[in-house]
Amino acid sequence: HRCRPAARPTGSAPRREKDLTVSSEIDPGPQRARWFKSSYSTGSCTCVEIRFATSRRVEIRDSKDPRCTLAPGTEPVIKLSSDEWQQFQSVLRVTRWLGSTPHILATQNSHDELRLECRRSGTALLFNRAEWEAFVAGVQSHEFLNDPVFTH
């Protein structure tokens, strides 16, 4: 079953590239550490989640890992610099499915699952097709641009 776009709260809209100049609407505190997913993932879908952990680091995790809720902070997390994150997104916008960079290896297995591995740490995450499609749709829609607070 495919994930459909989630309903947005009234008055909210996806962040677009042109919105990056409006930094007064960004909460520079807790927002930085908040995990979020693509609007193309539904509430009932497990998903690829990311967060802007610091001004120079983006983290990726798999929300279906039970440690996300039972023992937050112990789940496997892929950590990328903001430059590595931007490079990965750029590749995904072109390929629209798999996107490997010098820092990330994305492969598909015979069960139609996508394995995302950090080449530096060896940390790997496994996503089903619906989870990955929702994430890539979010990348295509520019939902995961670096937090404007961190933009120089």
Side-chain angles (χ1 to χ4, degrees):
H1 135 90
R2 291 178 54 112
C3 293
R4 292 184 301 265
R8 293 192 180 280
T10 304
S12 71
R15 209 170 32 172
R16 303 282 186 232
E17 284 185 278
K18 65 182 178 187
D19 296 333
L20 292 178
T21 57
V22 188
S23 60
S24 61
E25 297 177 12
I26 302 298
D27 176 6
Q31 284 297 101
R32 288 185 181 173
R34 184 180 62 85
W35 289 100
F36 64 101
K37 61 184 180 176
S38 169
S39 66
Y40 293 88
S41 297
T42 63
S44 62
C45 256
T46 53
C47 57
V48 180
E49 288 185 312
I50 72 128
R51 74 174 171 183
F52 297 101
T54 71
S55 63
R56 293 189 261 280
R57 191 175 77 228
V58 178
E59 298 177 342
I60 306 169
R61 74 176 184 180
D62 181 357
S63 70
K64 70 180 168 291
D65 189 310
R67 292 171 284 189
C68 291
T69 53
L70 299 176
T74 64
E75 72 276 10
V77 173
I78 293 176
K79 298 175 183 177
L80 301 172
S81 72
S82 57
D83 290 341
E84 293 165 351
W85 172 244
Q86 290 304 321
Q87 183 182 32
F88 181 57
Q89 288 188 95
S90 294
V91 169
L92 285 179
R93 282 190 200 100
V94 172
T95 66
R96 300 182 183 267
W97 182 245
L98 295 177
S100 294
T101 69
H103 308 285
I104 292 285
L105 176 63
T107 56
Q108 189 173 356
N109 66 24
S110 60
H111 302 290
D112 209 22
E113 296 170 315
L114 184 114
R115 184 174 189 270
L116 193 62
E117 180 181 347
C118 178
R119 294 179 195 254
R120 180 177 42 249
S121 68
T123 302
L125 305 172
L126 193 65
F127 300 102
N128 66 40
R129 185 176 195 90
E131 294 166 341
W132 192 250
E133 284 178 346
F135 171 68
V136 172
V139 168
Q140 294 291 324
S141 298
H142 301 279
E143 292 181 346
F144 299 111
L145 293 175
N146 275 346
D147 191 320
V149 171
F150 304 142
T151 305
H152 299 282

